[in-house]
Amino acid sequence: MPVRTCLDLLNSGALAFTIVWNTGQTSTVSVNATVVGAALVVTFTGVVSSGLFTGSSVVQVVTGPATDVLLCTASLGTVSSVYSLVTLEITSL
């Protein structure tokens, strides 16, 4: 998951990240992020743009508690990390 600042934590938009598999192979994923709700729920949808599984569609959902995130966005503190449940689905076309 890419590092995000308090200023862009709840912003939606395009981004890319690389997955390093346990085989040493990589997949670069290009996605659009959508952020929803009182809990921090970020949904990434897009495609694997290079590496293992190139051309496959991607849906990744990250769900975590919003308590610290709300402090950050209200300018009352910072968030050093958010422990989240991550679900990744890669579907071959």
Side-chain angles (χ1 to χ4, degrees):
M1 181 87 181
V3 174
R4 301 182 80 172
T5 67
C6 283
L7 294 175
D8 69 3
L9 186 62
L10 299 179
N11 289 339
S12 299
L15 56 97
F17 58 92
T18 300
I19 299 169
V20 179
W21 301 101
N22 63 354
T23 61
Q25 294 174 288
T26 61
S27 299
T28 300
V29 178
S30 300
V31 295
N32 285 309
T34 304
V35 181
V36 179
L40 179 62
V41 179
V42 183
T43 302
F44 299 96
T45 57
V47 298
V48 177
S49 54
S50 68
L52 190 63
F53 306 117
T54 297
S56 297
S57 65
V58 174
V59 176
Q60 179 175 324
V61 180
V62 179
T63 305
T67 307
D68 290 340
V69 175
L70 294 175
L71 291 174
C72 176
T73 56
S75 298
L76 300 173
T78 61
V79 178
S80 58
S81 62
V82 176
Y83 293 95
S84 303
L85 173 67
V86 178
T87 305
L88 173 66
E89 179 180 329
I90 298 176
T91 306
S92 183
L93 300 176

